Amino acid sequence: MTSKPKFDFEKEGHLTIGHVDENEIDRVAESFKDRSLFITGGTGFLGKVLVEKLLRSCGELKRIYLLIRTKKGKDPQERIKDIFQNVLFDQVKQLRGEQRIFDQVVAIAGDVMLPGLGISEQDLETLRNEVSIVYHCAATVRFDEPLRNAVFMNTRGTKYMLELAGTLKHLDFFAYCSTAYCHLHVKTLYEKPYDPPANPHQVIQACEWLPDEEVSLIERKILGDIPNTYAYTKSLAEALVVEKFNELPAVILRPSIVIPIWKEPIPGWTDNINGPTGLLIGAGKGVIRTMYCNSSGYGDFLPVDVAVNGILVASWRNITAGTDHTNRVAHMTSSNDIKVSWAEIIELGRWVIENKVPLNGVAWYPGGSMKSNYWVHYVCMVLFQWMPALFVDALLLLLRYPPVLCRVQNRIYKGFEVFEYYANNVWSFDNSEAVKLRKLMNNKERKTYVIEKIDLDLIDYFTNCVLCARRLILKESDESIPAARRHMKIMWFVDKLYKGMWLFGILYMLYRCFFAS
């Protein structure tokens, strides 16, 4: 077994919260009291955590309207019921009562892809008369989304939202949830607007006029140096929001790579395996064994509960002070406080999976390393990912089971085409606004809406991430962990045997070439 990883930042002193006076007022919660909110993207990862936090910590708000489309035959009301069945909402249901939550959260049937958001006139009238706070979080986060779809969802959808916001009679705050990774040509990103890569109105018009096939043909030329449609369309959407700064109380919030919950309400909770969690699961299952990556580089990761806390604190500041007296762009980032290299993440993940939380059905013993040379990585990928996948799939076919691993490796290969760009570049993010906000908060607010580096234990954090992914996404029960450990030992033997056979084969060939004659 490997030794427990150590991290340099753990030697630093943590920020601490002083005594919380029971008479202190939660001014963040007060700023939402008796208000109605309109949220898009409330069924997504960030959106679910945002809704849960609002209900739990700002329970005196009047109502949350969620824009929800019909999906898989389920209408918006059914989908809201499904959302609240998620374990994420168990704590708030016990705290507030299930009926109270259903009274506070109302579905608005619609779709950001449709003109006018597809909202009925009756619902539009309700929003115009009641809503004073808007969070636009809806987006496609697929990096390989076809350009036309990404423009319609991320850019034109934002345009529609801004048009709706302009008709709200009591609007005090409009927040566009962007991303810190949307201006990739800027290596140090400051909390200010940046010029878009193109005119967003012209791009929208072009995508409306041209069929999918023609947009696909010119997609690479349109994107230029921008590696994916996600970054491109989010930067266009920011430009649309900036255009409205003189007309609307609008701000741009830029969270970095949002990862599973750190602390509340369920440590490690996630509803997807994007980001580092996906790497840990892939490596833990033995299907990822090599990566082309600058091992000393790092990404900027932010637990989703901390991102949501930052959104709410920024909302309070802008609502009470007014957007004319605040910065209109704010970052929710972590790398100025904590930097964890890609190598440390992999070392950490390997230790957690080997020593604490093994996964079921491991295809190969976890191992491998990062490569700074692409061709070395490519050779290792063929030898230690594709060839074992072919071997296992051949056995499955002989046993009359459908092949699996080659399909998985194909998906990993496509995913790495996106990942490698970010893994081999490093960006820095100014977070001056977060530093200012920390100084404005009282102890009660600092405890309720944590946006500081406090007692973060990465071993515990990633253990919780893998456990939640195991239980909630992979559907593997805790009772199966002992069997997973036994299977891991078997795969260790298979791994050593496979490597031994290759080594023997190479030595034998060398012997035949140089000594046999």
Side-chain angles (χ1 to χ4, degrees):
M1 294 294 180
T2 55
S3 59
K4 184 175 180 179
K6 301 290 185 182
F7 300 96
D8 289 340
F9 73 82
E10 291 180 335
K11 301 171 186 176
E12 302 170 8
H14 293 294
L15 295 170
T16 57
I17 296 174
H19 173 70
V20 177
D21 187 342
E22 291 183 1
N23 295 320
E24 280 184 324
I25 297 174
D26 182 344
R27 295 167 297 173
V28 178
E30 282 290 311
S31 67
F32 289 93
K33 186 176 180 179
D34 298 325
R35 288 181 178 271
S36 292
L37 291 67
F38 181 46
I39 299 175
T40 69
T43 60
F45 178 47
L46 177 71
K48 287 192 190 90
V49 179
L50 174 61
V51 170
E52 192 278 337
K53 181 68 174 181
L54 283 165
L55 293 170
R56 179 162 47 87
S57 298
C58 308
E60 293 188 52
L61 59 80
K62 182 181 177 183
R63 191 152 288 122
I64 297 174
Y65 293 103
L66 295 182
L67 184 72
I68 302 180
R69 62 188 172 94
T70 298
K71 185 177 180 181
K72 295 180 179 178
K74 292 187 176 182
D75 64 31
Q77 294 297 338
E78 289 179 293
R79 291 190 66 197
I80 275 196
K81 291 178 181 177
D82 288 346
I83 289 168
F84 287 129
Q85 291 304 311
N86 193 295
V87 66
L88 176 71
F89 292 93
D90 286 354
Q91 183 178 330
V92 73
K93 284 191 289 188
Q94 292 176 1
L95 180 67
R96 303 291 180 191
E98 191 166 354
Q99 189 55 51
R100 167 71 172 159
I101 289 173
F102 280 113
D103 291 341
Q104 283 185 299
V105 182
V106 177
I108 297 290
D111 189 337
V112 294
M113 298 281 278
L114 299 176
L117 302 170
I119 302 175
S120 71
E121 188 57 41
Q122 181 180 351
D123 285 341
L124 282 173
E125 193 62 23
T126 299
L127 298 176
R128 290 178 186 133
N129 291 326
E130 292 192 25
V131 169
S132 60
I133 298 173
V134 175
Y135 293 106
H136 178 38
C137 306
T140 173
V141 296
R142 283 182 53 193
F143 288 90
D144 60 347
E145 187 76 59
L147 178 61
R148 194 163 183 261
N149 289 350
V151 167
F152 288 166
M153 172 70 85
N154 294 350
T155 309
R156 191 178 67 176
T158 302
K159 179 183 177 183
Y160 291 156
M161 281 295 296
L162 290 164
E163 290 171 353
L164 171 63
T167 70
L168 302 181
K169 298 175 183 178
H170 309 291
L171 183 67
D172 289 326
F173 182 66
F174 178 100
Y176 171 61
C177 290
S178 183
T179 172
Y181 286 92
C182 70
H183 300 286
L184 300 173
H185 63 290
V186 181
K187 290 300 183 180
T188 299
L189 198 74
Y190 291 95
E191 294 172 304
K192 66 177 186 178
Y194 288 88
D195 292 334
N199 183 309
H201 300 284
Q202 292 177 356
V203 174
I204 291 170
Q205 288 178 344
C207 289
E208 289 175 337
W209 293 339
L210 296 172
D212 285 336
E213 297 78 12
E214 292 189 30
V215 175
S216 296
L217 288 173
I218 59 174
E219 179 176 312
R220 192 64 261 166
K221 185 176 181 180
I222 292 173
L223 294 182
D225 294 333
I226 299 174
N228 55 71
T229 58
Y230 175 70
Y232 181 78
T233 54
K234 294 293 273 187
S235 61
L236 294 179
E238 280 198 5
L240 294 174
V241 179
V242 172
E243 286 179 3
K244 296 294 183 179
F245 273 178
N246 293 329
E247 301 173 33
L248 298 173
V251 302
I252 295 170
L253 305 177
R254 292 180 183 145
S256 57
I257 302 170
V258 181
I259 56 176
I261 286 175
W262 162 50
K263 191 174 183 181
E264 294 180 334
I266 301 172
W269 180 89
T270 184
D271 64 356
N272 63 76
I273 54 172
N274 298 330
T277 306
L279 291 178
L280 292 180
I281 298 300
K285 289 283 189 179
V287 294
I288 298 176
R289 307 185 64 77
T290 179
M291 288 192 295
Y292 173 50
C293 178
N294 175 11
S295 60
S296 62
Y298 60 88
D300 193 297
F301 303 106
L302 193 67
V304 63
D305 52 328
V306 179
V308 164
N309 289 339
I311 290 170
L312 297 184
V313 173
S315 304
W316 156 66
R317 178 60 178 160
N318 281 277
I319 291 167
T320 55
T323 51
D324 291 337
H325 303 285
T326 59
N327 195 348
R328 305 290 283 271
V329 180
H331 291 167
M332 283 82 193
T333 56
S334 66
S335 56
N336 284 347
D337 294 322
I338 299 173
K339 287 184 175 69
V340 185
S341 71
W342 295 107
E344 287 171 328
I345 288 176
I346 294 301
E347 180 188 359
L348 167 65
R350 183 178 299 161
W351 188 88
V352 166
I353 289 170
E354 285 181 359
N355 295 275
K356 304 193 80 170
V357 193
L359 302 177
N360 291 354
V362 170
W364 208 265
Y365 187 76
S369 63
M370 295 183 175
K371 313 296 189 299
S372 58
N373 182 289
Y374 178 78
W375 294 109
V376 173
H377 157 72
Y378 186 82
V379 170
C380 289
M381 183 171 60
V382 170
L383 291 178
F384 300 116
Q385 289 187 193
W386 277 103
M387 293 194 70
L390 288 167
F391 175 72
V392 172
D393 277 359
L395 287 178
L396 289 173
L397 285 170
L398 288 173
L399 296 171
R400 300 183 181 274
Y401 290 104
V404 175
L405 287 187
C406 285
R407 186 173 69 250
V408 170
Q409 286 299 332
N410 191 49
R411 292 179 63 184
I412 290 171
Y413 180 77
K414 290 180 179 179
F416 272 8
E417 288 181 337
V418 174
F419 168 77
E420 286 166 3
Y421 176 86
Y422 293 91
N424 288 286
N425 288 280
V426 175
W427 291 266
S428 298
F429 305 100
D430 173 40
N431 68 336
S432 300
E433 287 302 305
V435 173
K436 291 177 187 176
L437 289 171
R438 293 168 187 171
K439 295 176 180 178
L440 295 172
M441 299 166 70
N442 62 39
N443 287 336
K444 184 173 186 177
E445 293 157 353
R446 291 176 70 199
K447 184 176 181 181
T448 307
Y449 312 96
V450 178
I451 57 172
E452 302 172 78
K453 176 187 146 190
I454 300 174
D455 297 332
L456 178 60
D457 185 317
L458 281 178
I459 295 290
D460 287 346
Y461 175 69
F462 277 96
T463 299
N464 289 328
C465 289
V466 176
L467 270 173
C468 280
R470 198 180 195 281
R471 294 164 180 165
L472 304 177
I473 296 175
L474 302 176
K475 306 299 182 185
E476 298 176 1
S477 68
D478 291 356
E479 289 76 15
S480 65
I481 289 177
R485 288 199 176 99
R486 291 192 295 271
H487 182 68
M488 188 77 79
K489 291 178 181 178
I490 294 171
M491 296 314 298
W492 177 89
F493 175 78
V494 172
D495 178 65
K496 298 303 180 187
L497 180 63
Y498 178 78
K499 290 176 179 176
M501 289 171 61
W502 269 102
L503 180 60
F504 176 79
I506 292 170
L507 292 174
Y508 180 75
M509 292 297 295
L510 290 173
Y511 173 79
R512 294 280 297 179
C513 290
F514 294 104
F515 299 106
S517 59

